[in-house]
Amino acid sequence: MGKETMSGISGGGYQEAWRRSISSPEDFWLEAAAGIDWVVPPTSALAVDGKATGSWFPGGTLNTSFNALDRHVLAGRGAHTALIYDSAMTGTRVQLSYLDLLGRVAKFAGALRATGVGTGDRVIIYLPMIPEAVVAMLACARIGAVHSVVFGGFAATELAVRIDDARPSVIVTASGGLEPGRTVEYLPLVEKALTLSQGSVHTVIVRNRDSIPGSAANYQDRPDTDAVWLDWADEEAKATPAAPVALHSDDPLYILYTSGTTGKPKGIIRDNGGHAVALNWSMRNVYNVGPGDVYWAASDVGWVVGHSYIVYAPLLAGATTVLYEGKPIGTPDAGAFWRVVDDYKVKVLFTAPTAIRAIRRVDPDLLELEQHDVSSLTSLFLAGERLDPETFHWANNGLHCPVIDHWWQTETGWAICANLLGIEELPTKPGSATVPVPGYDVAILDSAGRPIEKIGTDGNIAIRLPLPPGTLLGVWGSEERFASSYLTAFPGYYATGDSGHFDADGYLFVMGRTDDVINVAGHRLSTGSLEEVLTLHPAVAECAVLGVHDPVKGQRAAGFVTLKAGSRVDHTVLTAELVALVREHVGPVAAFRDVTILDRLPKTRSGKILRKTIRQIVDGEEYLVPPTIEDPTVLDDLKRALSASVS
Ligand code: COA
Ligand code: AMP
């Protein structure tokens, strides 16, 4: 206790740090592990045991919630602000000190335990951006329960799929959330998901938000499920605070589902020890943030960015985290982000490029920025999708601080490539996520798994094993799926599913996915799962869903369908039904609106849908008519259908 919470890089700049992390990973990561308070400190960094990617800090035991809260209080920083909650949706502003947050977490951990939740049990958290989301996550961590946060924009069916996979005993939810213009009704969604799923859930705990009109918790009226429905406030009030339990470094902390190429999401498993060490290290070395600094990740706790950089990393580092319930525009205006930066003197802001594009569309001359003092801001970090050079230049010219693109995935949990401001700020290159973060040995491979030596040539981006601490431990419930999704394509490497190239200076340019995953407003979606939904419609014979260019969201999902012979449906009605079907089965997050109805889909002679050609035509790019095309006139039909839907 009382020791430095950050471990810095000893001497030298970026190159030396990266080389050391690869040539002496044991020393490098054991040194970083000293930034965490262990119950039993580890004596080695990585054990290459039976697990495909090894386990970090074998023998070490710790508690992540203790590291995020108790240790700061014990070090005399209990009065320091841990969490700032700012709701642009309700006008609520609350600040919780480390002592306040610890008190709430310990009590809610006791409440969870009173329902029978113990170490290793799963708890689903389906909440809006309110402090209870953070409390519930840390409470699970405190008693060794494994949380799985489900983003509020997913529908009941998606929630049910996650329930069936994670088999939670408890769901924590709220009586309502607020999206611009509507209330998100969580309770009917939970109720429906429970009826669709296999029945592992025995308790639902509801946070009553009576400040939201029409959302008072009427959970007593939901007897159709087998679960007991409890009120959060009652349970918290009567709970006995729970002490943190010591967990093995590789015990699971959470499961976070992400889209793969199939309709079934993958449950990414994160450990306790590797995660705490890596995130704590990243705060100082990637973001240059430490105790007392205000750090704001404008994302959602339902995504990995929210897990890592709204909840865990800033608190592990003893910083102040901002939990913002609102949008970059419209709540109330395009100055919302600058207002929050000004109000709380935010040092580092992290968001997705789509948020910046949304602000730019509404306020191209950054007039709203002039209304606020944002001089506290030392950097703007962006991730979640490629930062297009145009958006980079606009933000970089308009703000007084560096704009940093960094690349990562749900699977890695923290940045694979970045400009490491805490070690050495490198010159930025528009379109590049800069350089590999220490611990990540990034390679560009051809389809046979051979390194592509030629600089500037795109290939599959892979990471040589072992991955650094903090990255995925596996896929929940399936070693086989873990291996087949990530490890078998290129033996000895983790396959990222992204493509790109290095330039002569070692800067990485991530250009796009090699699979059917698309990125809509920084949200990862599987086109395969959207296609599965469209084919549920009785009139649909075949379909293809593609990610096409969108000026604000980066990509949007566009559906192309053919009808069964003899189907007589009005096209406008069918489009509305398909849009509603996706909303019902996947959720509003898919933002699915575009449907083009065709007589035939463009295909090769062997029956493969020409997705790339369709996308190029929709995006107005130049394209070559593939020599294998079954019938080139189908492309003319496609163009006619597209221009008819535009006019
Ligand atoms: N709960 C319930 N519904 C949600 C939701 C949530 N937490 N988040 C979004 N939705 C809904 C929205 O209300 C919208 O529904 P609608 O069809 O009824 O309008 C739909 O999902 C699509 O939302 P979104 O993709 O966010 O689009 P938008 O037009 O509402 O806003 C942006 C566009 C760019 C402003 C918004 O996407 C944004 O702020 N992005 C920030 C980036 C981000 O958080 N990325 C996460 C990874 S870093
Ligand atoms: P998610 O798991 O939802 O965070 O999505 C991860 C995917 O988003 C990556 O595999 C990339 O395809 C994309 N992505 C995230 N950050 C970047 C970035 N900085 N540059 C390019 N693509 C990115």
Side-chain angles (χ1 to χ4, degrees), residues 3-39:
K3 68 180 160 238
E4 257 297 306
T5 54
M6 291 286 162
S7 86
I9 289 287
S10 49
Y14 161 73
Q15 282 296 347
E16 190 198 323
W18 184 82
R19 258 194 235 113
R20 219 178 129 239
S21 75
I22 301 301
S23 62
S24 316
E26 279 287 318
D27 294 347
F28 188 92
W29 290 115
L30 271 182
E31 212 174 275
I36 287 301
D37 284 9
W38 299 83
V39 179

Side-chain angles (χ1 to χ4, degrees), residues 488-612:
T488 50
F490 308 117
Y493 293 87
Y494 161 87
T496 65
D498 282 315
S499 65
H501 62 266
F502 278 113
D503 75 1
D505 297 323
Y507 279 54
L508 187 76
F509 290 74
V510 182
M511 305 309 290
R513 296 284 306 186
T514 57
D515 54 19
D516 295 332
V517 166
I518 60 170
N519 218 306
V520 178
H523 311 324
R524 182 164 151 183
L525 298 171
S526 143
T527 54
S529 71
L530 297 175
E531 287 171 5
E532 277 175 29
V533 174
L534 295 188
T535 50
L536 294 176
H537 194 287
V540 170
E542 269 192 305
C543 69
V545 175
L546 312 172
V548 300
H549 176 72
D550 184 276
V552 173
K553 297 191 175 195
Q555 283 186 309
R556 66 176 192 279
F560 299 84
V561 301
T562 63
L563 304 184
K564 284 183 186 151
S567 290
R568 284 165 197 241
V569 282
D570 179 276
H571 286 195
T572 313
V573 172
L574 177 64
T575 298
E577 286 173 357
L578 293 175
V579 167
L581 209 57
V582 171
R583 202 173 168 95
E584 182 194 337
H585 284 270
V586 180
V589 64
F592 181 74
R593 313 242 192 283
D594 290 13
V595 178
T596 305
I597 299 163
L598 300 170
D599 291 332
R600 288 173 299 165
L601 289 173
K603 288 186 181 173
T604 62
R605 283 187 288 273
S606 61
K608 205 165 160 254
I609 297 171
L610 290 164
R611 291 163 188 282
K612 185 173 168 198

Side-chain angles (χ1 to χ4, degrees), residues 194-504:
L194 288 178
T195 54
L196 291 172
S197 62
Q198 306 297 320
S200 62
V201 177
H202 59 63
T203 305
V204 181
I205 302 179
V206 183
R207 174 66 187 171
N208 198 348
R209 293 187 88 194
D210 39 20
S211 61
I212 297 182
S215 88
N218 52 347
Y219 46 86
Q220 293 88 344
D221 302 336
R222 300 183 187 277
D224 288 347
T225 63
D226 293 332
V228 177
W229 294 64
L230 302 174
D231 180 78
W232 172 302
D234 292 348
E235 299 311 302
E236 187 181 337
K238 66 181 186 217
T240 308
V245 301
L247 297 164
H248 294 291
S249 176
D250 64 352
D251 279 341
L253 171 69
Y254 70 75
I255 307 166
L256 179 59
Y257 286 88
T258 190
S259 302
T261 46
T262 67
K264 191 173 186 291
K266 287 182 286 213
I268 300 304
I269 310 171
R270 198 85 60 211
D271 64 350
N272 273 275
H275 175 254
V277 170
L279 291 193
N280 187 51
W281 184 91
S282 75
M283 284 306 280
R284 174 56 76 206
N285 293 290
V286 177
Y287 302 99
N288 197 21
V289 164
D293 291 332
V294 182
Y295 182 93
W296 177 25
S299 176
D300 189 289
V301 287
W303 307 119
V304 68
V305 173
H307 280 61
S308 295
Y309 290 104
I310 295 175
V311 184
Y312 287 108
L315 298 177
L316 286 165
T320 299
T321 186
V322 179
L323 182 77
Y324 171 72
E325 187 182 27
K327 304 273 172 182
I329 53 170
T331 60
D333 53 37
F337 275 18
W338 319 131
R339 193 269 298 164
V340 173
V341 169
D342 186 2
D343 281 355
Y344 307 113
K345 303 299 164 220
V346 171
K347 180 177 176 186
V348 173
L349 168 60
F350 175 0
T351 190
T354 186
I356 301 302
R357 286 194 298 266
I359 295 171
R360 180 184 178 200
R361 194 185 49 172
V362 178
D363 183 18
D365 299 322
L366 273 174
L367 299 177
E368 296 285 356
L369 186 67
E370 290 165 18
Q371 310 303 313
H372 303 280
D373 174 7
V374 294
S375 57
S376 59
L377 200 63
T378 58
S379 51
L380 168 65
F381 276 83
L382 297 168
E385 55 176 311
R386 181 162 186 262
L387 174 58
D388 56 290
E390 212 184 319
T391 307
F392 167 79
H393 285 301
W394 181 79
N396 208 42
N397 294 341
L399 294 171
H400 65 278
C401 63
V403 175
I404 312 284
D405 181 15
H406 62 333
W407 167 58
W408 51 301
Q409 316 183 307
T410 304
E411 289 85 343
T412 64
W414 63 299
I416 310 165
C417 280
N419 196 343
L420 292 108
L421 296 192
I423 297 180
E424 178 186 357
E425 185 179 342
L426 298 173
T428 47
K429 294 194 188 190
S432 169
T434 320
V435 291
V437 166
Y440 289 99
D441 194 355
V442 179
I444 309 293
L445 306 178
D446 67 16
S447 53
R450 289 176 301 241
I452 298 177
E453 306 295 348
K454 197 159 169 260
I455 294 298
T457 308
D458 280 341
N460 300 287
I461 312 179
I463 305 168
R464 195 187 301 274
L465 296 173
L467 294 171
T471 52
L472 77 171
L473 212 64
V475 171
W476 183 257
S478 180
E479 274 291 319
E480 192 282 319
R481 198 157 176 227
F482 178 36
S484 64
S485 304
Y486 302 107
L487 305 174
T488 50
F490 308 117
Y493 293 87
Y494 161 87
T496 65
D498 282 315
S499 65
H501 62 266
F502 278 113
D503 75 1

